[in-house]
Amino acid sequence: MIHFALSDFLPALPEMFLAAAALALLILGVCQGDRSAREIAWLSVLALVVTFALVAAPLHAHGPERQISFYGMFVTDGFGAFSKMLVLAGSALSLIVAMRYNEQEGIARPEYPVLVLLATVGMMAMVSANDLISLYVGLELQSLALYVLAAFQRDTLRSTEAGLKYFVLGALASGMLLYGASMVYGFAGTTAFDTLARDFADGGTASIGLVIGIVLIAVGLAFKVSAVPFHMWTPDVYEGAPTPVTAFFSVAPKIAAMSLFIRVMVGPFGGLLVEWRQVIWFIAVASMLLGAFAALNQTNIKRLMAYSSIGHVGYALIGLAAGSAIGVRGILVYLAIYLFMNIGTFTVILCMRRDGKLVENIDELAGLSRTQPGMALALAIFMFSMAGIPPLAGFFAKLYVFLAAIDAGLYGLAVIGVLASVVGAFYYLRIVKLMYFDEPKGAFDKPIGREMQAVLVLTALVILFFFAWPGLLVDGADAVASALFSG
Amino acid sequence: MDVGTVIHAICFYAFAGVAVASGVMVIAARNPVHSVLFLILAFFNAAGLFVLLGAEFLAMILVIVYVGAVAVLFLFVVMMLDINFTALRQGALQYLPIGALIGLILLVELVLVFGAWTMAPDFAASAVAPTPPIAQVTNTAALGALLYTRYIYAFQVSGLILLVAMIGAIVLTLRGREGVRRQKISTQVSRARADAVEVVKVRPRQGV
């Protein structure tokens, strides 16, 4: 007979709290109807903040300590806690900037924050996965909520199309991943990451079936992070989904999927670095190049951000190709900075509204520096940062992954990365040029809302002054990344 | 040969024969409703085969999930959608060669899997073994014991996934419709006699 003690569940306390909060808010929302949307959105932000504290507290108290629970299905360690904090911050910020937009578009309903919370639970489960089964259930929980969110503006054709497209392609990717997982289980006889890692460490060689399984799992994960050549859904979904949903898509799920990618590749299959490195090398190069070149002639700013995010995933994957603690540190720093740059940029995009109507064309930003100088300055900071211009945070993000690539001897990858970021700088700087040197097309609607201003100021300050205190982020990332490799 | 083996063999051939025959009828029947009913018959016989194999849990799931839910859903769809199945079926025979080919490939693959599959030798030690041994416990009890202990985490997260599916279906499809007259039970119950009945004195030849 197996006995459970309460302490067995403690490692998953943040997840359980967030899930319970989502259920409670769902009941509240159902009872109060649509008029409670804003109240429930703020309560959801509060729930995310509390969860953040629950994740951060043990990390602060015990350091990055590795703990296995639920019969090996669930792992809590410093790396997981770090990624979860990023995911929670991304979800909370995107919920805050969503409220006003949803009210203006008439889609302010209590289900929106509840679905975001449930998706976040799924992401936390992904980050903590220590078994192919828990990987899959976490991923599905996240994806299913995201499909619904993409189609949330159900009365517009573009949103429903985005939801359907995302659903069909996402289901295909999940199928690939499951197929890969079943191959791994069939040939290795286990789904547990720890057992797989131990067997490879004991000199287990990968049979051809096992390699196919690993590649298929990588394909499924590459789809979720929207790396080339599995990126096709990204521009359409980003363009079609309601803008706050796009903002959410571009940060939290991407961070979670990236962390899961790291966890799977360096965990159970860490012993096969030589085999999978070439795969990651290829998708990193392809993502960087496509992200740089395909964005050049985009006119819709949401599509531009989609290609930009594909490019950023490519840079982050450089760290994974390095396959070292320095590489993982680079990815974590990159993701953290990317989170702030992206949320900031999307806050500006959410304010692009003229006479109550949304405008999404890049040309509409012309002359923004004269009509709304504050917003233009913030967007200029984000664009310079994304282009990787020092001393803004985006420069350091790229610096740390390129350092990892050089450390691992992947000089080609670093050179291609630098060249791609030069090409990418063109379209980021074009936006700055539009805002500062072109004739104004008329102001956007004012006021933009106090919470939007707050997010804008916060993200801009983080990006601007990261260079002054890089240690706050880099040291933490360094500690959890080395713990991931030593443990 | 003892009696048990003979009965076992008779049952197997009866279930298998009926399953194959009803499978053929599913695609041969002219009336789509008959097709679905034959499908249900095929499911029942497959469940019988599972019981003969000692997998009573799979048999139950087959009956409950496939017959109870999936096949009934098919039946609803077939009855509610007015599809001209005879027109659909015209020219279906031209797909016979490719169908036969796919069936053949599946068969060959199954034979290959059973004949040639081996687990990677380096991993043999960590292969998952059935716990507890099959002889000691029925498979329903074994699955239940595992599902609510070893896999409680996956089980709970799956529950959340189903909840999300439910919320999603409601969010994307439920619309508040105008002009629907809903039953308000509280108003009905709180209605007093005075609101409903009026006593009118009617004089002869004058009407109300």
Side-chain angles (χ1 to χ4, degrees):
Chain A
M1 207 51 213
I2 305 156
H3 292 283
F4 280 114
L6 196 60
S7 58
D8 294 339
F9 294 101
L10 269 186
L13 183 66
E15 283 81 1
M16 293 196 302
F17 170 77
L18 195 58
L23 300 186
L25 289 176
L26 180 66
I27 295 172
L28 192 65
V30 168
C31 293
Q32 300 203 332
D34 285 358
R35 69 200 141 80
S36 64
R38 186 168 268 253
E39 174 194 336
I40 291 196
W42 278 116
L43 284 174
S44 306
V45 174
L46 181 69
L48 288 168
V49 171
V50 173
T51 315
F52 189 94
L54 288 175
V55 172
L59 185 68
H60 189 67
H62 313 296
E65 179 193 28
R66 187 176 152 88
Q67 209 176 351
I68 303 285
S69 45
F70 293 103
Y71 296 89
M73 302 271 270
F74 190 85
V75 61
T76 38
D77 55 3
F79 171 75
F82 194 96
S83 306
K84 281 180 197 173
M85 281 151 69
L86 292 182
V87 166
L88 289 165
S91 299
L93 287 173
S94 62
L95 262 183
I96 292 173
V97 297
M99 292 175 202
R100 226 177 130 78
Y101 177 95
N102 286 356
E103 280 160 16
Q104 282 162 335
E105 292 295 303
I107 51 169
R109 303 163 68 192
E111 290 92 348
Y112 181 87
V114 169
L115 282 170
V116 170
L117 288 192
L118 287 169
T120 311
V121 175
M123 290 171 213
M124 294 170 77
M126 282 160 68
V127 171
S128 272
N130 200 35
D131 190 295
L132 289 172
I133 297 173
S134 46
L135 179 160
Y136 181 70
V137 290
L139 196 70
E140 273 317 282
L141 177 57
Q142 179 228 223
S143 308
L144 207 58
L146 296 187
Y147 303 146
V148 180
L149 283 175
F152 202 78
Q153 200 165 9
R154 61 185 188 188
D155 294 323
T156 62
L157 190 63
R158 284 202 314 173
S159 175
T160 43
E161 186 196 323
L164 188 64
K165 209 171 251 180
Y166 193 25
F167 174 67
V168 172
L169 290 174
L172 184 72
S174 290
M176 295 269 208
L177 190 125
L178 264 189
Y179 189 46
S182 72
M183 296 283 275
V184 169
Y185 179 55
F187 283 92
T190 177
T191 55
F193 286 0
D194 292 340
T195 320
L196 282 168
R198 194 187 62 220
D199 284 344
F200 282 119
D202 291 350
T205 46
S207 59
I208 186 77
L210 208 48
V211 170
I212 292 174
I214 295 169
V215 169
L216 284 172
I217 291 177
V219 166
L221 293 175
F223 176 91
K224 298 290 175 191
V225 297
S226 71
V228 180
F230 311 102
H231 65 286
M232 276 76 131
W233 57 277
T234 321
D236 293 342
V237 173
Y238 276 35
E239 188 189 350
T243 314
V245 176
T246 313
F248 178 57
F249 277 9
S250 69
V251 287
K254 208 154 256 194
I255 294 170
M258 203 68 197
S259 309
L260 181 61
F261 215 154
I262 299 170
R263 168 96 64 205
V264 172
M265 285 311 177
V266 306
F269 307 128
L272 300 173
L273 175 64
V274 191
E275 270 95 348
W276 56 255
R277 176 181 269 168
Q278 47 192 330
V279 178
I280 303 296
W281 192 95
F282 170 75
I283 59 176
V285 166
S287 305
M288 288 188 295
L289 292 180
L290 188 115
F293 283 101
L296 286 178
N297 53 1
Q298 296 301 326
T299 52
N300 182 301
I301 187 135
K302 281 160 83 180
R303 272 189 103 77
L304 178 88
M305 290 304 289
Y307 284 108
S308 154
S309 85
I310 292 172
H312 284 301
V313 163
Y315 297 118
L317 282 172
I318 293 180
L320 183 57
S324 59
I326 304 179
V328 172
R329 180 192 70 181
I331 300 178
L332 290 176
V333 172
Y334 201 105
L335 291 177
I337 291 171
Y338 169 79
L339 162 73
F340 286 102
M341 292 193 295
N342 233 37
I343 285 287
T345 312
F346 271 102
T347 312
V348 175
I349 297 175
L350 282 164
C351 296
M352 288 173 64
R353 181 178 275 285
R354 195 164 282 151
D355 304 326
K357 280 211 178 105
L358 287 170
V359 287
E360 291 178 354
N361 210 310
I362 295 171
D363 297 335
E364 305 286 343
L365 286 166
L368 191 67
S369 64
R370 265 167 279 176
T371 52
Q372 265 130 322
M375 200 196 278
L377 179 67
L379 188 56
I381 291 173
F382 301 135
M383 289 299 126
F384 278 124
S385 172
M386 287 209 185
I389 290 168
L392 296 170
F395 165 73
F396 293 98
K398 289 202 171 76
L399 178 70
Y400 281 113
V401 288
F402 291 153
L403 280 181
I406 289 169
D407 182 69
L410 302 168
Y411 300 109
L413 201 52
V415 170
I416 297 172
V418 172
L419 292 178
S421 68
V422 171
V423 178
F426 170 75
Y427 60 82
Y428 294 126
L429 298 184
R430 190 176 59 151
I431 293 178
V432 177
K433 179 226 160 215
L434 266 174
M435 291 190 302
Y436 279 88
F437 299 107
D438 284 13
E439 281 307 305
K441 284 191 101 175
F444 293 134
D445 290 356
K446 280 187 259 193
I448 59 170
R450 219 173 304 152
E451 78 279 6
M452 306 290 268
Q453 282 171 342
V455 172
L456 213 51
V457 170
L458 171 79
T459 47
L461 287 180
V462 169
I463 298 301
L464 200 55
F465 292 110
F466 172 78
F467 75 93
W469 298 279
L472 287 179
L473 184 64
V474 179
D475 293 348
D478 200 32
V480 300
S482 9
L484 184 69
F485 277 87
S486 64
Chain B
M1 237 181 357
D2 65 292
V3 186
T5 326
V6 174
I7 293 176
H8 195 278
I10 291 172
C11 287
F12 172 78
Y13 284 110
F15 283 135
V18 177
V20 171
S22 50
V24 171
M25 286 308 288
V26 171
I27 50 170
R30 285 198 171 277
N31 187 332
V33 177
H34 292 176
S35 283
V36 178
L37 292 175
F38 274 116
L39 188 66
I40 294 175
L41 184 61
F43 281 147
F44 265 109
N45 283 284
L49 289 176
F50 275 132
V51 172
L52 287 185
L53 283 172
E56 78 279 357
F57 183 74
L58 277 180
M60 280 192 303
I61 287 294
L62 196 67
V63 171
I64 294 168
V65 176
Y66 279 85
V67 178
V70 178
V72 172
L73 192 74
F74 280 176
L75 209 53
F76 273 127
V77 172
V78 166
M79 285 176 172
M80 289 211 298
L81 299 182
D82 187 22
I83 300 172
N84 188 351
F85 282 91
T86 33
L88 266 184
R89 200 171 290 134
Q90 251 157 23
L93 266 187
Q94 66 187 358
Y95 297 115
L96 190 65
I98 191 156
L101 185 69
I102 291 173
L104 190 70
I105 293 174
L106 276 178
L107 184 68
V108 171
E109 282 179 344
L110 274 179
V111 170
L112 284 181
V113 163
F114 280 112
W117 171 78
T118 48
M119 196 178 287
D122 299 335
F123 293 86
S126 51
V128 178
T131 49
I134 307 171
Q136 291 172 13
V137 61
T138 64
N139 51 49
T140 313
L143 275 171
L146 273 183
L147 203 56
Y148 294 103
T149 55
R150 172 104 171 59
Y151 294 101
I152 183 73
Y153 174 71
F155 186 72
Q156 292 294 332
V157 181
S158 311
L160 280 181
I161 295 176
L162 291 179
L163 177 74
V164 168
M166 196 174 81
I167 300 174
I170 294 172
V171 164
L172 294 181
T173 55
L174 182 71
R175 281 161 207 278
R177 259 193 278 167
E178 299 292 316
V180 180
R181 314 191 73 173
R182 289 210 169 73
Q183 185 181 19
K184 291 179 186 152
I185 294 173
S186 58
T187 348
Q188 289 178 345
V189 171
S190 63
R191 209 159 100 124
R193 181 169 183 273
D195 304 333
V197 185
E198 191 186 354
V199 182
V200 183
K201 288 246 190 251
V202 183
R203 290 168 181 245
R205 293 193 194 166
Q206 284 187 354
V208 184

